[in-house]
Amino acid sequence: MADPAAPPRAAGLDRVVIGGRTDASSVWYEPMSRGRMDGVQALHTELFPVVYTQAFYDTLLTDGMVTYLACCEEGLLGVSTARVLEADAWPCFQPAVRGYINTFGVDNRHRRRKIGSKLLSNTLQELARRGCNTVELHVLTDNLPALGFYRKHGFRMSQLIENYYYIDHQYCDAYRMVCQLRAVASPLASLLRLPYTYACRLFGVPVPEPDDKEPAAALEY
């Protein structure tokens, strides 16, 4: 959601910031809008080695996408695009709803100022609000700064995928990373918990509460 204390928007807001450093207090965050499209496309070209199609950019304006922008008076500093995947339904289990981060980046001239942390926090909170239990993404195996950033914010490597990306006429490996937002409740797990609860009460032992609090990964930044 847009920062209500954001400074007035300049006419050149759709441009990508090319040089200089912006004071963190002058940065605000807002959802995607049609008027930001040119700036978002320019920022993707600036940040990512993958070429995205117009069809991808068109989806950013649909309700199924979660897109946040880091903005300042001079232009766009960062972008996060994500979506909610179809739920995985298994017998005896509540469907696990997954979120997926398509693209995420901050202009390298404005990194190490917590802009990326705030951008990711907005994205995770919105995905959690839409019912996601986990959030996934893919990262090039040699992108060490990105791997460190995501680990710091609760993501863990779950799979090495060979030849996942095709960049500059060659295939590149990627790590699949996952962030757990909340535990998935299960009728089967509740049933198995009954004997344990009964035994605790029989012997006067406090029964631990299930971990069903708000997703820490989306709130701690």
Side-chain angles (χ1 to χ4, degrees), residues 1 5 13 25 32 53 77 81 95 124 135 148 160 164 174 181 198 210:
M1 184 175 294
L13 186 60
S25 63
M32 178 67 180
T53 65
L77 305 177
T81 71
L124 295 182
V135 177
L160 170 64
Y164 182 79
L181 296 183
Y198 176 79

Side-chain angles (χ1 to χ4, degrees), residues 7-27:
R9 298 174 184 171
L13 186 60
D14 288 338
R15 298 194 306 270
V16 178
V17 173
I18 300 301
R21 292 179 63 84
T22 301
D23 179 33
S25 63
S26 66
V27 177

Side-chain angles (χ1 to χ4, degrees), residues 1 3 11 18 26 39 50 56 60 69 73 76 91 98 111 118 129 131 145 151-152 155 173 177 182 218 221:
M1 184 175 294
D3 184 354
I18 300 301
S26 66
V50 177
F56 166 77
L60 301 184
L69 310 175
E73 292 185 359
L76 301 182
R98 296 176 294 140
R111 292 175 184 172
K118 181 63 176 177
R129 189 188 71 81
R151 284 198 198 98
K152 176 183 176 182
F155 284 81
D173 299 341
M177 304 189 76
R182 56 165 66 89
Y221 310 135

Side-chain angles (χ1 to χ4, degrees), residues 19 51 83 128 155 206:
V51 178
R83 68 184 189 273
F155 284 81

Side-chain angles (χ1 to χ4, degrees), residues 27-161:
V27 177
W28 69 92
Y29 304 85
E30 62 183 55
M32 178 67 180
S33 62
R34 188 171 298 279
R36 300 287 181 260
M37 183 61 75
D38 289 345
V40 168
Q41 289 179 319
L43 195 57
H44 275 74
T45 301
E46 175 103 357
L47 294 177
F48 308 120
V50 177
V51 178
Y52 293 93
T53 65
Q54 185 60 46
F56 166 77
Y57 293 114
D58 290 341
T59 63
L60 301 184
L61 297 170
T62 63
D63 292 337
M65 295 295 291
V66 176
T67 302
Y68 281 101
L69 310 175
C71 310
C72 70
E73 292 185 359
E74 292 79 22
L76 301 182
L77 305 177
V79 60
S80 172
T81 71
R83 68 184 189 273
V84 178
L85 302 177
E86 294 184 3
D88 292 331
W90 297 91
C92 302
F93 284 89
Q94 174 181 323
V97 182
R98 296 176 294 140
Y100 183 79
I101 296 179
N102 300 285
T103 61
F104 183 92
V106 175
D107 186 282
N108 58 16
R109 291 169 289 265
H110 300 273
R111 292 175 184 172
R112 300 187 181 277
R113 299 169 55 241
K114 299 189 181 301
I115 294 175
S117 294
K118 181 63 176 177
L119 200 57
L120 183 61
S121 175
N122 285 333
T123 301
L124 295 182
Q125 288 189 40
E126 178 59 21
L127 290 172
R129 189 188 71 81
R130 297 192 185 194
C132 293
N133 308 107
T134 61
V135 177
E136 306 172 4
L137 53 82
H138 291 89
V139 184
L140 284 166
T141 55
D142 60 356
N143 191 346
L144 300 183
L147 291 171
F149 173 82
Y150 290 123
R151 284 198 198 98
K152 176 183 176 182
H153 291 90
F155 284 81
R156 297 292 178 265
M157 283 184 278
S158 67
Q159 184 181 7
L160 170 64
I161 305 177

